[in-house]
């Protein structure tokens, strides 16, 4: 007699889902996160931005950055209102037309780069050049809703002037740039010849956009040449080291990883393809990513290995690695991204923040790396994974992050660095990227949950986020300079190779990275059972001119360059061939013999530090 009642209940619930899907689904946005709370969190993050932005404008402007405890300012890069420049597109994203307009007008009238300051090429490019270009593209286009009637390309002119002052750093035998430059006098003759891989390989988006906007190819050419210079010196394992001599091309630090000194090299390979449609970047990314997954991935963590041998060097999670799951979302490799994000977030839940370094062997904060300088990378990946999956766990994660920042980092005039995540000791400094990235990604996360009403989700273009979080639109002027989707086999040298014509879902996904509806079969929470990169982004089928079996070196003529040290220590008959002599194999390997947990017991127990569901160790507790 009970069966009919059960059927009636099931039928009733089914009808509720059919007739009132929004009510049923929205009431379970996340465990404890109701639709009203998601809106409140979005508004709270907005208030966080203005607490810090107003604190900067009232106490530090026009100096570079805010001292949030003492309510003062400091010049940390060039003394040219760095935080204001870095915040411009966040103001636009929040719809603050008045402050965006006033800020653009002030910068256009007052900013100059003919100053005797020696600056980091990397930081100046991603923070200042990127900030100016993003704001220019917003202020000059009616379609963005942020068009300034009186605007006359002042920010673009400043960006071009700045970039030309950076150009001397590329005058090296390898094409890999110096790390620093004097904006008035150029490269000092005593400038270090050692630079990081990220420093040399994370300039392509900003310089490439500038070339497209000014019709001067020099900016794009020098940065692409730098990437080629780095990739040509990769190891036979397709790994790159952390630091290199820009004159000799010798690696001075051979630790390969996805974190400090290397991270955004990988990021800009894929994003340069997505923004510019230049398939050479995708070829390099595919080979580099496959090698990273084979030699660095120790599921769910990533370690550092020797770039030549693949031997484990450093079992460390560092906070800069946290961008990686977000990059994997763009690449379509969702399964590993989810597992790695879970692991990274478990560190956050243990301490309330992510320390700069967490030792995977001792399962403790790495000595000398206890700080949290308000980094955005974990927020960035949380946003991308929620956008891809709509899994409510990521709203829970975002709420925990907001709570930690509010109770642990908020201070009188802004938000403070945390000098020790174990004791939540505050430090009197606030990086400009807190406003450019950290709060931006949190705001986008909750706005997406409520029902997006912002330029990125509903605007006229698809947007690519730079490594500093600046939004760069995929406009025809920027993205259609090269056609990169065509009929198959059209440029294969062997006229006999024919590929089956089919529409690639992945190709569509790659071209629509910022559309929340663009993630194919898993757009609304349906996930592939076991995603692998080789399945997600096939090596053939949607790239014009790509023939099966061609490597990047065969197509573009960039050869593998073995270091002198390696050549001396390698028997002649065992030396690695050049790329043009090797067949590319970019399928990732799930388990590598080179990667063994330093402590198997600890590794097994540390899938998630919270023990599978304990409450966050947030400051409020």
């Amino acid at each position: 007699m009970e069966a009919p009642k059960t059927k009636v209940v099931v039928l009733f619930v089914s009808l509720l889902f059919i007739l009132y899907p929004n009510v049923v689904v929205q009431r379970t946005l996340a465990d404890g996160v109701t639709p009203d709370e998601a809106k409140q969190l979005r508004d709270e993050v907005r208030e966080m931005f203005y607490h810090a932005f107003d604190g900067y404008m009232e106490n530090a402007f026009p100096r570079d950055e805010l001292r949030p405890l003492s309510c003062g300012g400091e010049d940390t890069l060039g003394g040219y209102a760095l935080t204001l420049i870095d915040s411009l597109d966040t103001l636009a994203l929040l719809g603050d037309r008045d402050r965006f307009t006033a800020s653009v007008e002030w910068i256009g009238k007052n900013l100059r780069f003919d100053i005797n300051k020696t600056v980091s090429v990397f930081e100046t490019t991603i923070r200042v050049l990127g900030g100016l270009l993003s704001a220019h593209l917003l202020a000059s286009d009616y379609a963005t809703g942020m068009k300034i009637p009186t605007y006359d390309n002042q920010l673009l002119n400043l960006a071009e002037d700045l970039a030309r002052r950076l150009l001397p750093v590329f005058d090296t035998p390898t094409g890999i740039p110096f790390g620093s430059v004097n904006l008035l006098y150029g490269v000092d003759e005593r400038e270090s010849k050692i630079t990081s891989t990220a420093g040399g390989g994370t300039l392509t988006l900003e310089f490439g956009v500038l070339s497209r906007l000014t019709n001067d190819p020099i900016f794009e050419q020098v940065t692409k040449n730098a990437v080629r210079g780095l990739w040509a010196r990769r190891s036979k394992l397709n790994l790159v080291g952390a630091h290199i001599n820009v004159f000799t091309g010798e690696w001075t630090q051979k630790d390969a990883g996805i974190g400090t000194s290397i991270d955004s090299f990988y990021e800009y390979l894929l994003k340069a393809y997505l923004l510019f449609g230049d398939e050479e970047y995708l070829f390099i990314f595919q080979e580099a990513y496959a090698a990273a997954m084979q030699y660095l991935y120790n599921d769910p963590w990533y370690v550092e290995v020797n770039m030549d041998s693949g031997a484990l060097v450093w079992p460390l999670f560092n906070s800069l690695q946290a961008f990686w799951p977000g990059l994997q979302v763009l690449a379509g490799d969702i399964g590993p991204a989810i597992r790695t994000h879970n692991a990274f977030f478990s560190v956050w839940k243990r301490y309330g923040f992510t320390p700069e370094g967490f030792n995977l062997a001792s399962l403790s904060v790495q000595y000398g790396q206890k700080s949290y300088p308000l980094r955005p990378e974990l927020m960035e990946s949380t946003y991308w994974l929620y956008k891809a999956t709509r899994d409510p766990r990521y709203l829970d994660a975002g709420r925990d992050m907001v709570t930690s920042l509010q109770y642990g980092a908020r201070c009188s005039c802004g938000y403070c660095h945390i000098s020790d995540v174990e004791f939540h000791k505050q430090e009197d400094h606030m990086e400009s990227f807190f406003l450019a990235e950290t709060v931006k990604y949190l705001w986008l996360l909750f706005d997406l949950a409520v029902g997006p009403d912002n330029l990125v989700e509903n605007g006229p273009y698809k947007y690519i986020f730079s490594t500093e979080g600046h939004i760069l639109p995929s406009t025809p002027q920027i993205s259609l300079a090269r056609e990169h989707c065509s009929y198959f086999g059209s440029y294969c040298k062997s006229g006999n190779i024919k590929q089956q014509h089919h529409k690639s879902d992945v190709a569509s996904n790659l071209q629509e990275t910022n559309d929340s509806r663009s993630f194919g079969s898993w757009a609304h929470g349906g996930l592939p059972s076991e995603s692998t990169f080789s399945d997600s982004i096939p090596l053939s089928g949607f790239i014009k001119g790509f023939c099966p079996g061609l490597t990047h070196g065969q197509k573009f003529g960039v050869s593998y360059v073995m270091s002198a040290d390696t050549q001396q220590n390698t028997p002649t008959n065992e030396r690695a061939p050049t790329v043009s002599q090797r067949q590319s194999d970019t399928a990732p390997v799930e388990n590598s013999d080179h990667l063994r947990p330093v402590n198997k017991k600890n590794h097994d127990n540390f899938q998630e530090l919270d023990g599978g569901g304990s409450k966050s160790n947030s400051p409020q507790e």
Side-chain angles (χ1 to χ4, degrees):
M1 296 298 292
E2 296 299 319
K5 292 182 180 180
T6 303
K7 290 181 179 179
V8 170
V9 172
V10 171
L11 178 60
F12 178 72
V13 173
S14 300
L15 286 173
L16 280 178
F17 272 93
I18 295 172
L19 297 175
Y20 306 103
N22 293 333
V23 173
V24 176
V25 174
Q26 287 182 359
R27 290 190 181 279
T28 58
L29 279 176
D31 182 19
V33 177
T34 65
D36 287 341
E37 187 179 2
K39 183 177 184 300
Q40 290 171 3
L41 285 165
R42 180 191 63 182
D43 295 341
E44 183 176 356
V45 174
R46 182 187 181 94
E47 187 277 333
M48 290 170 62
F49 171 83
Y50 281 109
H51 173 65
F53 181 78
D54 291 343
Y56 166 75
M57 293 301 294
E58 293 168 6
N59 299 284
F61 174 79
R63 304 192 77 176
D64 280 339
E65 291 178 323
L66 171 69
R67 289 186 177 272
L69 273 176
S70 59
C71 297
E74 58 183 331
D75 287 331
T76 53
L77 189 59
Y80 34 54
L82 171 63
T83 296
L84 181 63
I85 297 171
D86 226 1
S87 304
L88 288 174
D89 63 348
T90 308
L91 288 169
L93 194 60
L94 295 174
D96 193 340
R97 174 186 291 274
D98 291 341
R99 296 200 195 192
F100 176 73
T101 299
S103 299
V104 168
E105 290 178 346
W106 185 91
I107 291 170
K109 293 176 182 177
N110 296 279
L111 196 63
R112 296 179 59 181
F113 294 115
D114 54 340
I115 54 177
N116 185 14
K117 293 278 188 177
T118 298
V119 299
S120 161
V121 174
F122 172 76
E123 297 292 352
T124 301
T125 297
I126 66 171
R127 300 199 199 194
V128 183
L129 184 59
L132 291 173
L133 290 171
S134 178
H136 161 74
L137 289 161
L138 291 164
S140 60
D141 190 345
Y142 279 106
T144 65
M146 284 290 153
K147 168 72 176 177
I148 300 175
T150 59
Y151 181 72
D152 189 26
N153 294 336
Q154 292 93 333
L155 301 191
L156 179 61
N157 294 335
L158 284 168
E160 183 177 4
D161 175 56
L162 175 60
R164 293 197 184 280
R165 295 177 186 276
L166 301 180
L167 283 179
V169 301
F170 296 94
D171 186 16
T172 66
T174 62
I176 303 169
F178 288 101
S180 301
V181 66
N182 186 284
L183 294 177
L184 195 59
Y185 299 112
V187 178
D188 190 283
E189 61 181 9
R190 295 165 295 180
E191 175 64 30
S192 171
K193 295 180 175 61
I194 309 303
T195 194
S196 69
T197 300
T202 313
L203 312 171
T204 49
L205 291 191
E206 292 82 2
F207 276 71
V209 167
L210 184 61
S211 276
R212 308 294 171 102
L213 296 178
T214 61
N215 293 318
D216 188 341
I218 185 63
F219 306 110
E220 186 169 5
Q221 287 173 354
V222 294
T223 53
K224 187 172 185 179
N225 195 44
V227 171
R228 286 171 167 169
L230 288 165
W231 187 242
R233 291 166 175 83
R234 69 198 181 280
S235 74
K236 61 184 178 182
L237 304 181
N238 279 343
L239 295 174
V240 293
H243 292 93
I244 193 170
N245 186 305
V246 301
F247 266 58
T248 67
E250 294 297 313
W251 294 98
T252 58
Q253 184 180 356
K254 292 192 171 187
D255 297 353
I258 62 164
T260 304
S261 300
I262 304 176
D263 51 352
S264 47
F265 170 76
Y266 290 100
E267 178 184 2
Y268 269 35
L269 290 176
L270 181 58
K271 289 184 176 180
Y273 167 71
L274 294 174
L275 187 59
F276 302 133
D278 186 337
E279 63 264 31
E280 182 175 359
Y281 289 114
L282 182 61
F283 272 77
I284 301 175
F285 176 77
Q286 287 174 320
E287 294 186 347
Y289 181 85
M293 295 302 287
Q294 178 174 351
Y295 296 104
L296 309 179
Y297 185 43
N298 201 2
D299 194 351
W301 304 95
Y302 290 82
V303 296
E304 294 182 9
V305 304
N306 180 276
M307 63 178 287
D308 293 321
S309 67
L312 179 66
V313 172
W314 198 230
L316 187 78
F317 159 66
N318 71 69
S319 59
L320 288 173
Q321 293 178 353
F323 87 100
W324 189 259
L327 184 66
Q328 289 181 307
V329 170
L330 291 182
D333 206 3
I334 305 300
I338 291 172
R339 295 193 296 274
T340 295
H341 181 276
N342 288 345
F344 290 175
F345 183 58
S346 67
V347 179
W348 181 285
K349 287 194 287 185
R350 170 180 275 200
Y351 299 106
F353 302 100
T354 47
E356 289 290 77
F358 182 85
N359 192 298
L360 299 177
S362 64
L363 301 184
S364 61
V365 177
Q366 179 66 26
Y367 179 77
Q369 299 185 33
K370 295 184 176 183
S371 67
Y372 170 68
L374 305 176
R375 291 202 184 278
E377 285 78 14
L378 190 59
M379 290 77 169
E380 176 185 2
S381 288
T382 303
Y383 162 68
W384 280 112
L385 277 165
Y386 180 71
K387 186 169 185 175
T389 67
R390 295 302 196 272
D391 190 320
R393 79 176 83 171
Y394 300 112
L395 296 180
D396 282 332
R399 179 178 56 184
D400 286 351
M401 294 171 192
V402 169
T403 300
S404 292
L405 290 169
Q406 289 287 64
Y407 285 88
R410 188 174 177 120
C411 45
S412 55
C413 293
Y415 289 82
C416 294
H417 278 206
I418 302 300
S419 60
D420 188 329
V421 299
E422 294 179 299
F423 298 99
H424 290 190
K425 183 179 179 181
Q426 294 183 340
E427 184 179 338
D428 195 14
H429 184 63
M430 187 182 82
E431 293 273 3
S432 66
F433 57 65
F434 179 74
L435 296 176
E437 300 180 82
T438 307
V439 293
K440 178 183 290 175
Y441 285 118
L442 286 171
W443 187 86
L444 284 169
L445 170 68
F446 294 115
D447 191 57
L448 191 59
V450 173
D453 182 23
N454 65 72
L455 189 64
V456 170
E457 307 295 344
N458 298 333
Y461 313 112
K462 304 293 187 294
Y463 285 88
I464 296 296
F465 288 83
S466 76
T467 197
E468 187 71 7
H470 294 306
I471 54 175
L472 301 172
S474 182
T475 64
Q477 183 181 11
I478 293 173
S479 298
L480 296 185
R482 290 184 177 90
E483 178 189 352
H484 59 99
C485 290
S486 184
Y487 62 92
F488 308 116
S490 56
Y491 288 87
C492 292
K493 292 182 179 180
S494 162
N496 300 323
I497 298 178
K498 299 295 181 183
Q499 299 176 8
Q500 181 179 359
H501 184 85
H502 67 282
K503 182 178 180 180
S504 169
D505 292 336
V506 175
S508 300
N509 293 344
L510 284 171
Q511 294 173 38
E512 300 185 34
T513 55
N514 293 81
D515 192 321
S516 58
R517 298 164 295 177
S518 69
F519 293 92
S521 61
W522 40 272
H524 300 288
L527 295 175
S529 56
E530 287 295 328
S531 172
T532 62
F533 180 72
S534 58
D535 293 333
S536 301
I537 301 185
L539 292 181
S540 61
F542 68 95
I543 304 175
K544 181 178 75 174
F546 179 70
C547 306
L550 286 186
T551 66
H552 167 262
Q554 289 169 330
K555 182 172 174 62
F556 297 103
V558 179
S559 297
Y560 161 77
V561 178
M562 183 179 290
S563 68
D565 291 341
T566 304
Q567 290 182 17
Q568 291 173 2
N569 297 327
T570 305
T572 304
N573 60 350
E574 294 181 6
R575 290 182 183 176
T578 62
V579 158
S580 61
Q581 295 171 317
R582 293 185 285 119
Q583 291 295 315
S584 174
D585 181 6
T586 62
V589 176
E590 291 295 328
N591 297 300
S592 170
D593 291 338
H594 295 291
L595 299 181
R596 299 295 184 193
V598 175
N599 184 315
K600 179 64 176 174
K601 181 179 179 181
N602 282 348
H603 177 266
D604 291 340
N605 292 337
F606 197 59
Q607 295 297 311
E608 283 195 58
L609 283 170
D610 63 347
S614 63
K615 290 184 179 180
S616 168
N617 184 25
S618 298
Q620 75 272 22
E621 298 181 2

